[in-house]
Each structure stands twice: as C-alpha cells, then as structure tokens.
Amino acid sequence: MLALFLGLAARAAHLSLWDPRAEARGDAQVLTALTLAPERGVVVDREGAELALTLDAPSVYAVPAEVRDAAATARSLAQALAVPAGPLLRRLREPRPFAFVARWVDADRAERVRRLALPGIGVLSEPRRTYPNRELAGTLLGFANIDGVGVRGVERLEDSWLRGRPRRVPVERDARGRLLVGPGLDPHAAAGGDVALTLDAALQAEAEAALGRAVEASGARGGCVVVLDPVQGDVLALAERPAFDPNRFRSIAYPRSRSRAFLDALEPGSTLKMFVVAAALEAGVLEPDDVIDLEGGVLRVPGKVIRDREPHDTLDVASVLRLSSNVGSVRIAQRLGARRHFEALRRFGFGAATGSGFPEESSGLLRSWRQWKPLDHATIAFGQGVNATPIQLAVATAALANGGVRVRPRLVNARREAGGTWEPVPVASGERVVSARTAAQLVAMLESAAGAEGTGRRAALAGVRVAGKTGTAQKLDAETGTYAPNRYLAWFAGMAPADAPRLVVVVALDEPAGEAHSGGAVAAPLFAGVAAAHLTRLGIATEPLLAETRVAGNGSRERERAAAHLKAQTTTRKKETAAPSVEAKPMASDEKQARPAPAPKAALALAAAPPPVIVQVGDRILLPDLRGLTEAEVRHVTEASALEVEFVGRGRVVAQEPEPGAILPRARPHLRLRFAPPGG
C-alpha cells in the first residue's frame, strides 16, 4: 500500500508539474472567465436626489460547447423566457466559448431557467443602469448601453468618471457538469465615481409639468425650457418635449433620445433683436434716448421689402424692443455695420459651442460677415438667417443679466470617488461681452418689452420685475426651401427679478397650432409659470399675473377683462392730463345764456380725469396709475384696500413699483411709491 501511495503521488506530481497535456486538462475545468460591465457611479441632483443608479439584474448565459442538445435546449429556454426559439438556437450553435442568451431578465424568468438545470446554461448577476424617475430629465441624462458604456447626455459626458473597472468572473463546471459562477471581484470595489448635477429635480419636475401643459394647450409639436443661474451658469432645469425614458433606450429610435436644447439649432426670431441693440449701444453708434426713423414701418433693402406688423413713423430704442419692430432693428443694425454686428454676436456666444462639454453640442449657424449681403444683414437683425440652440440663447441672455459677463453653462456641480467625499467643480471665469452700463440699459429696455404695453406682457409676475423678449420665427419648409406660411417657433427669453436677476429662462414651443402662435401669446405665459415656481423655491413668493386667455378659466378671463378696463381708464387719465383740451361746438342761443362761464382748459381737463381706483377682483388687486398724486391723495385712494404702501421722498408720485396695471395677490401686497417735488 505504501508503494502504491508513493506511485500515485509521483504520477500526480508529474501530471501537475511536467505533463502539458495534464495541465491543459486541468485548465479545461475552468471553462472561461467572463468580463462583466463595471458598476457605474450614481448620478444625483444638486440636493442629492438619485437620478441614475446601478442595480444587479439576472442574465442568462450559455457555454455552447457544453450544450448537449441545442434544439431541445432552445425550446426549453424559449418557454421559460417567453421568447422565440429560433434566435436562441442560432446563438447556442455559435462557435464561441461564451454567449449571453438573455440579459436583464426579471427574477421569475431567471428562477425558471435555474430550475431547468440545462447543461451549458447558467444565470449570473450583472449591473443594470436604472433611472428611477423615468422621463424626468431623460434627454439631459442620456443613457448607458447594455455594456455599461455612456452613449448619450450626461452619461456620455461623465463616462470616464462614472464607469468603474471591468470585473472578470470565472465560470467553472462541477463534477456533474453543471456551470458554476465564481464570486469574482466585489462589484462595489470596482464601482465608478459619483456625479452631482447642477440640476434641481424638484424644479425640473415643475418645468416639465409646465411645458407639458403648454404643449397640450397650444397644440404644439413639442418644446423646451432652459433655466440658468446667470452668475454661475448652473443649469437648474432643462425640460423637453417629446420626452425620453432612458430605461427604454433599446425600444426607442436613437434620434429621439437627443437633447434638443443642445443639439437642435433653430432660428431665434426676434429674441436676437436685444443683442443688436446691445452691440450698437456698446459701439457708441446708438444712445438709449435716440429716436429711430421707421419710414412708416416699411423699409426697402436690395431683394426684399421689410415691414412691421404695426407701422410707426418713429420709435425710441426701448420701443423698438417693446413693440418688436423689424424695421427699427434693421435700422440699428445698419448703423452698427455688418462686421461689428457679427463680432458682437460671436462675443455673445452665437456660432460656437457654449463650452458646456455636452456631447455633440451644436455650434449653431452664424456665417462670416464677409458673406453677408445687405439682405442677410437686415434679416439677421431680427433673427432670420442665423441658427442658435436654446442653450446658446440662454447663455447670451444670461450675459445681459450678469452685468455683461458671459459664463459657460455648468452641468456638473461636484464629483466624488467611490466611498470618498464630494469635491466641488470650480466655476469657470466669465468673459465680458459688453459693459455693465450697456447691460443695465438693455435690461431696463427689456422690462418695458415685458411690461403692460410690450409684446411679452404675459410674462409678468406678481410683485417681481421681469425683463425679456419675445420671438416668433417662421420655420423653413425643407421641400420648397422657403419659409412656411403657417409653421412657427414661439420663443421667450427673459430674466427675473430684473433688478437683481436670479434666473434666466428661455422657452420655445415648436409649431403651436391656431391663431395664437406668437411668442407673446404662448411662450411668455410658459416663462411666467416656470419662473414663478423657481423663484418661489428661492424664497421669492410670486405667481403669474396673466394666464393665456384661450385656455384660462373663467376667473382668469375676469381678471384680464378687469385689467384691460383699468388700463383703458389709466390711459384716458394720462392723455387728458398731458394734453388738456376743450372741444368747441355750436350752441343754441338759450344754451349760451344758461351755461356758466367756461373754466380754464386745464381746470376742465383735471376735472374730467377720473380719480384712480383700486380694483379688487377675487383674490387679486389691480393697481391704478398713482403718478402725479400727493401723499394725502394716495392715502385716500388706498385706505380701503389691503395694500401696504411704502412712501419714499416728498412731493408728488413720480414712480411706482409694481407698475400701473400690475395685478397683485391680496395676501400682504406691497406697493412702493417714490415722490419728488415739482420739477425734481
């Protein structure tokens, strides 16, 4: 027995150490070593809410060389997995050492496969990317494919950071020929780093809900909303319709998963007018009090006649923006010149990617000024012939809100290694594009554009000053190469509060249906809803003053009728006070004898002017025009209302905030009046 034992030991030593055939047989016991996708890091919003995470999911695999009856195995697997048998059979017959049969199956199907105990078939767990909020910020987040590689959006932008180290897992066979998956590496030890976005998930949800309502109400094909912090460039919300669920990336066409705000370059329409005015002010060829000759609202340039919807002979610069005059914008652009106009647009960021790093971000389209013909220069002044992405327009608007300094948009707020601590991502230094003085002048003008007489009046907020610009861009017809007569993009680009901007919001609606298709009719109310929600989140309680008439409830219509009545009353009073007159008409002789001597003209005019009235409709207070009144007269007008009036100075009212015609909530409404002595 001792001799036999020694002989077996010698043979075992020989097989283990010197016989290559025996070594190969031993290695054959380990059939293969799988390389599994690593566990990706977590993506959270700025408050730590999870937007993308990785969970373990069962997948069914095969080692074709170990499958005894491929046809019977395929039929059994097809029944357990509820899939056709044909593709499974082809996969089982492939000449490869390892193949996945079905990935990311549910637990019930995985258990059915385990119970079958089929030779050459096994189940293992691999990481699966999950987006718990489904469509929320889906186009911005993008997705990681089935192999754990970032393909779109933030997942691709931060792929090198989020992706961990691949895991190699041995697959062995036991004495009965069953496949056994070894433990491999700890999946968490090989996990990637985490990323915190600048996005606020709560605000994102508000923006997406508001956009969804606006798209439905206007009958638009889609739209987008971009919300920026103008100082740091943080993207606080980015909502898009149609939406995209990253969990379903395998069942959706690839183009549908794109972020239109970064990838789609569109004509910005009249929103571009604010930048030509800024450029002209900065270049010194225009002053804020200049009066522009509009030639009756008709301007002929070589190749085209440009007309205004509402013709005017002259307008000051603020009114060109307030009324969105095409002719006025062209006149200003002609003063500026093509080269300076082009260079200014480039400084504001048009014609180049914003520097966000977003994958495949479009640069838009801005041809060199050397290629501009007079007609090109004219149409670019009001937003035709140049293409910009919504994020480009938001960044350019933010430069005005930030005192003339353009900052790069930020998507990532902080990063941390697996198991480490958060490291903030530094804010990039900005680039000055216009002086602080020019930016302040533009913001003041844009306040009038969003005021009671402007095209953007539906963007107004209760108790908060708003500045912004509407735009309505005709869309090109790809078949004819001309502008379609009934297809539009409705824009609004604005900021709030205008006196110290905390937010820049750019909204766009694609092809709103019906007559109300302009930026002022459908995009401005969307701006108001989004801005109000965001400002409330920042501690500034406000709400939209006006709803869209054709989709508003009866209460909103009533408030709008009351506001229109108040506006007409205020306009009448201002006209009568500014230009007093007495209409002369023939009278009968007895009328002359019975009528008392006429009073002076000014006295008659003041007597005819109706006193201002505080109108209360439901839970709203409509402000009259109090300018020109004394402190005593103001107290008399406001004593029966719930207004909290702040008096600044002495004399007569020269300015009020909010402006005349504003609609305030009855809950602690605040009115600030500035007084000055006559001539002051």
Side-chain angles (χ1 to χ4, degrees):
M1 291 181 64
L2 180 61
L4 179 61
F5 176 77
L6 292 174
L8 291 174
R11 179 56 176 164
H14 178 265
L15 292 174
S16 302
L17 300 176
W18 294 289
D19 190 340
R21 292 178 301 168
E23 184 179 0
R25 290 181 181 179
D27 291 341
Q29 296 298 320
V30 179
L31 299 175
T32 188
L34 307 183
T35 300
L36 299 183
E39 181 177 342
R40 291 178 70 82
V42 178
V43 179
V44 300
D45 80 338
R46 64 189 304 122
E47 301 296 332
E50 292 179 335
L51 301 175
L53 62 155
T54 301
L55 302 175
D56 287 338
S59 293
V60 180
Y61 69 93
V63 177
E66 299 297 322
V67 176
R68 296 174 184 172
D69 185 340
T73 300
R75 288 193 297 271
S76 298
L77 284 176
Q79 185 176 3
L81 297 173
V83 296
L88 295 179
L89 180 59
R90 289 192 294 271
R91 184 155 299 186
L92 294 177
R93 287 176 172 172
E94 290 178 352
R96 52 165 56 176
F98 172 87
F100 275 113
V101 174
R103 303 182 74 173
W104 298 354
V105 301
D106 58 55
D108 291 339
R109 294 182 184 184
E111 183 58 30
R112 288 199 294 266
V113 171
R114 288 191 185 97
R115 287 200 298 264
L116 290 174
L118 298 170
I121 304 298
V123 178
L124 56 79
S125 292
E126 61 172 336
R128 175 179 183 175
R129 199 61 164 167
T130 301
Y131 304 89
N133 299 303
R134 301 172 63 87
E135 294 181 347
L136 185 74
T139 55
L140 180 67
L141 290 172
F143 64 91
N145 65 16
I146 202 165
D147 295 317
V149 178
V151 176
R152 281 283 205 190
V154 170
E155 292 278 25
R156 179 174 169 185
L157 171 66
E158 293 292 308
D159 186 59
S160 61
W161 181 265
L162 290 167
R163 194 195 307 185
R165 299 188 302 276
R167 291 186 292 155
R168 290 183 61 81
V169 181
V171 178
E172 300 179 334
R173 181 177 55 187
D174 65 8
R176 296 184 179 180
R178 295 176 300 189
L179 298 179
L180 303 174
V181 179
L185 297 175
D186 179 3
H188 301 291
D194 300 331
V195 169
L197 302 183
T198 58
L199 208 71
D200 186 313
L203 297 181
Q204 176 73 20
E206 290 275 5
E208 292 192 9
L211 176 60
R213 292 191 297 267
V215 167
E216 181 180 0
S218 65
R221 294 180 56 191
C224 73
V225 174
V226 180
V227 184
L228 283 184
D229 175 344
V231 178
Q232 297 197 144
D234 290 358
V235 178
L236 301 175
L238 195 148
E240 297 180 290
R241 286 289 185 274
F244 162 66
D245 183 356
N247 295 298
R248 302 179 59 243
F249 73 88
R250 289 189 291 175
S251 62
I252 295 176
Y254 183 73
R256 287 185 56 192
S257 65
R258 75 188 187 279
S259 172
R260 294 163 179 81
F262 284 92
L263 273 65
D264 287 9
L266 313 165
E267 287 196 349
S270 293
T271 60
L272 214 63
K273 292 174 182 175
M274 52 185 168
F275 304 110
V276 69
V277 173
L281 291 171
E282 185 72 6
V285 300
L286 189 71
E287 295 295 331
D289 56 354
D290 282 357
V291 175
I292 310 300
D293 183 5
L294 304 183
E295 299 184 2
V298 180
L299 179 64
R300 290 174 174 82
V301 296
K304 189 173 184 178
V305 177
I306 296 172
R307 303 176 185 273
D308 279 340
R309 183 181 297 272
E310 298 181 6
H312 295 272
D313 292 326
T314 60
L315 285 175
D316 60 24
V317 180
S319 296
V320 168
L321 293 176
R322 177 170 55 85
L323 301 177
S324 199
S325 167
N326 287 348
V327 174
S329 300
V330 175
R331 283 291 200 188
I332 293 171
Q334 290 172 340
R335 285 195 191 185
L336 181 62
R339 179 172 182 172
R340 287 187 292 192
H341 189 182
F342 169 80
E343 291 173 348
L345 291 177
R346 289 287 292 182
R347 289 197 304 273
F348 275 106
F350 297 104
T354 62
S356 68
F358 195 85
E360 301 176 354
E361 180 183 352
S362 172
S363 297
L365 176 63
L366 178 62
R367 292 173 295 148
S368 169
W369 66 275
R370 300 179 188 277
Q371 301 173 351
W372 293 2
K373 297 178 181 178
L375 179 58
D376 298 324
H377 188 199
T379 56
I380 286 173
F382 52 84
Q384 285 187 356
V386 57
N387 287 19
T389 61
I391 192 70
Q392 281 179 319
L393 183 56
V395 170
T397 306
L400 296 175
N402 192 32
V405 177
R406 177 171 60 89
V407 296
R408 289 189 309 196
R410 288 203 325 150
L411 293 170
V412 177
N413 194 37
R415 299 185 183 94
R416 70 177 174 188
E417 295 182 351
T421 59
W422 288 107
E423 295 292 336
V425 175
V427 179
S429 58
E431 175 188 353
R432 180 162 293 283
V433 293
V434 293
S435 67
R437 178 173 179 269
T438 297
Q441 290 171 340
L442 248 296
V443 171
M445 294 179 187
L446 294 175
E447 278 197 74
S448 69
E453 301 294 333
T455 57
R457 56 187 172 274
R458 293 183 183 276
L461 298 174
V464 175
R465 292 160 59 181
V466 172
K469 183 70 188 74
T470 58
T472 308
Q474 283 182 285
K475 295 185 67 174
L476 279 172
D477 189 321
E479 295 181 358
T480 64
T482 59
Y483 286 101
N486 56 357
R487 296 169 57 202
Y488 300 91
L489 276 166
W491 293 92
F492 189 87
M495 63 196 74
D499 48 338
R502 301 281 301 276
L503 299 171
V504 163
V505 183
V506 168
V507 302
L509 290 172
D510 184 17
E511 295 188 24
E515 295 182 1
H517 58 258
S518 67
V522 294
L526 175 55
F527 166 92
V530 172
H534 281 58
L535 290 172
T536 301
R537 174 89 165 173
L538 295 175
I540 304 174
T542 184
E543 61 181 335
L545 285 179
L546 300 174
E548 188 178 356
T549 302
R550 68 189 185 95
V551 298
N554 293 332
S556 296
R557 291 195 184 99
E558 182 181 0
R559 290 195 294 271
E560 289 199 8
R561 285 196 297 269
H565 172 74
L566 176 62
K567 177 180 170 184
Q569 182 187 62
T570 301
T571 303
T572 302
R573 175 173 175 264
K574 289 169 65 177
K575 286 181 178 179
E576 290 175 339
T577 305
S581 62
V582 177
E583 181 180 359
K585 63 178 181 178
M587 291 186 294
S589 57
D590 57 340
E591 289 178 326
K592 293 180 182 179
Q593 293 173 356
R595 179 170 295 182
K601 293 182 179 180
L604 279 176
L606 291 174
V613 177
I614 303 292
V615 180
Q616 301 189 30
V617 180
D619 60 347
R620 298 291 187 271
I621 296 177
L622 309 181
L623 288 182
D625 189 352
L626 301 176
R627 289 173 294 186
L629 300 186
T630 65
E631 181 176 338
E633 291 170 335
V634 169
R635 293 186 185 279
H636 177 72
V637 170
T638 61
E639 63 182 356
S641 70
L643 282 172
E644 294 182 356
V645 184
E646 178 185 353
F647 298 86
V648 179
R650 294 183 178 277
R652 292 184 178 272
V653 179
V654 294
Q656 70 180 70
E657 183 181 345
E659 295 181 351
I663 306 177
L664 306 181
R666 292 188 64 178
R668 300 182 64 82
H670 185 78
L671 174 63
R672 187 174 187 270
L673 301 176
R674 184 158 57 87
F675 293 77

